[in-house]
Amino acid sequence: MIGLWDTTGNEVVKALAAERRSAGGVASGLALTLVAVVEEKKVREAEAAATIAAAAHPCRLLIVVRSDLEGRSRLDAEIVVGGRLGPAEAVVMRMYGRLALHAESVVMPLLAPDVPVVTWWHQSPPDMIANDFLGVVADRRITDSALAPDPVAALRQRAADYAPGDTDLTWTRITLWRTLVAGAFDTTEERVTGATIVAPPNDPTAALMKGWLQSRLHIEPAWEPTDRAPRMKSVQLQCANGDCVTVTREEGTALFSRTGQEDRYMPLPKRPVGDELAEELRRLDPDQIYGEALGAMAGVTGLEQRPSMRVHVWKDPAQAARAGDETGAFAGPGGSAA
């Protein structure tokens, strides 16, 4: 590991190149650049998740920590190649003062050549991705609405701000649920006439499950709120012939019940964030099914027809706070104010 304190972006580039040369073959075969935007208190969590993801997708990991926007501009960096973060080339950058508002000036020269760029926010997601240049330059953008104060409202904002290439880890968390529900109809063609979801009232996974069922089955699922479970408890489907299919979570397993058949138990573990991140990194093209489910959940149509390219909208939070402006949006180079 190389530590650089109160340094410059140019010195970080030189140090990474030197570390790559000394690491030799460890630094070859990168599949992508993963830019992680993280709060200071979540840096270790992000490193642990990226280590798991990098085992399946060798990447250059650039962790951006923005702190103290009003202080003196300073850059501290840690460079790790083939060390505690597994096969990843990693640079952890802590940015202070005005530099934190222009993180791209340091990040852009560090992007691995000729590979896709994925930006992942391991913090409350931004209201507008276009306000963050690190999201504008990415081929894929991964948010986590569960980290927002109001997760369901954050998902609705993701729909309002959606562009093809966006995804959310809330969607990844219902992959096993969707597999179990869809698998119930491998041996029947009965039409589904209704659905009921039992979940806490502010569970984002239940909101997306509701949107997915609505978009695929063209029904309006009912949401039955409960305070007896920390997350989505069960999904029940009613068929035209009167049969019911129910998937119920029970401590890492799912109880699969179907009218006229014996109950079965199937695995339904709570996966670590690293596994969820690795799943999303398997595809770098837009996820049309996610877009349809998100649109149905939020009541917004035509998400997949939106342009995939964003124009950077410069937002200076420090200036907005001083001016008392709630938006603080200004046209950046090549962009226009929203």
Side-chain angles (χ1 to χ4, degrees):
M1 185 189 81
I2 297 177
L4 301 173
W5 315 116
D6 199 1
T7 186
T8 64
N10 190 40
E11 291 300 317
V12 175
V13 172
K14 291 179 180 179
L16 177 60
E19 191 70 1
R20 291 182 72 241
R21 285 193 297 270
S22 65
V26 175
S28 64
L30 297 181
L32 55 93
T33 298
L34 177 61
V35 181
V37 183
V38 189
E39 299 173 350
E40 178 63 51
K41 62 183 179 181
K42 294 183 179 293
V43 170
R44 295 307 177 198
E45 292 180 13
E47 289 182 346
T51 301
I52 296 174
H57 311 279
C59 63
R60 178 172 293 174
L61 172 63
L62 306 177
I63 297 181
V64 177
V65 185
R66 295 175 169 128
S67 304
D68 189 15
L69 301 183
E70 296 292 340
R72 181 177 70 89
S73 291
R74 192 177 91 245
L75 171 64
D76 297 339
E78 298 175 49
I79 301 171
V80 182
V81 177
R84 70 174 192 274
L85 299 181
E89 298 181 2
V91 183
V92 182
M93 293 166 283
R94 291 175 170 83
M95 303 182 185
Y96 304 87
R98 301 292 298 178
L99 176 63
L101 301 177
H102 302 278
E104 69 277 2
S105 63
V106 179
V107 171
M108 292 293 286
L110 293 170
L111 299 180
D114 303 323
V115 294
V117 177
V118 179
T119 298
W120 164 46
W121 287 268
H122 188 51
Q123 60 182 36
S124 183
D127 288 339
M128 287 182 59
I129 288 178
N131 288 150
D132 192 342
F133 195 81
L134 298 179
V136 174
V137 300
D139 299 281
R140 284 274 278 170
R141 297 156 295 274
I142 303 174
T143 54
D144 192 348
S145 295
L147 298 178
D150 187 338
V152 175
L155 270 181
R156 294 195 182 98
Q157 180 57 32
R158 297 276 53 81
D161 188 48
Y162 180 84
D166 293 359
T167 191
D168 196 276
L169 290 183
T170 299
W171 174 247
T172 320
R173 291 184 186 115
I174 62 171
T175 297
L176 297 179
W177 281 92
R178 291 184 286 122
T179 301
L180 291 173
V181 171
F185 295 91
D186 288 344
T187 57
T188 182
E189 296 182 358
E190 284 297 331
R191 183 172 61 89
V192 177
T193 58
T196 302
I197 298 171
V198 178
N202 205 29
D203 184 354
T205 58
L208 265 186
M209 175 61 76
K210 183 174 183 291
W212 177 66
L213 292 174
Q214 183 175 338
S215 65
R216 307 315 294 173
L217 300 175
H218 307 291
I219 60 175
E220 184 64 38
W223 186 336
E224 183 179 313
T226 180
D227 294 326
R228 298 182 179 180
R231 54 192 187 277
M232 185 162 57
K233 179 65 176 177
S234 68
V235 176
Q236 184 183 79
L237 303 180
Q238 296 87 39
C239 300
N241 64 349
D243 287 356
C244 285
V245 176
T246 306
V247 179
T248 305
R249 186 200 303 268
E250 292 187 0
E251 296 185 1
T253 62
L255 174 61
F256 184 89
S257 304
R258 184 169 185 166
T259 303
Q261 297 183 9
E262 293 186 0
D263 292 348
R264 291 176 289 165
Y265 283 93
M266 299 181 178
L268 188 63
K270 182 179 179 181
R271 297 185 294 169
V273 176
D275 285 349
E276 297 167 351
L277 182 61
E279 179 181 326
E280 283 301 333
L281 294 180
R282 288 178 195 151
R283 62 178 305 158
L284 297 173
D285 57 321
D287 190 339
Q288 183 178 356
I289 304 302
Y290 164 70
E292 292 174 355
L294 183 66
M297 183 278 298
V300 181
T301 59
L303 295 189
E304 290 303 313
Q305 280 69 52
R306 294 182 181 180
S308 58
M309 299 295 293
R310 282 187 169 90
V311 176
H312 184 215
V313 180
W314 166 238
K315 179 179 180 181
D316 186 338
Q319 185 171 349
R322 288 194 297 268
D325 182 358
E326 294 183 356
T327 60
F330 301 90
S336 60

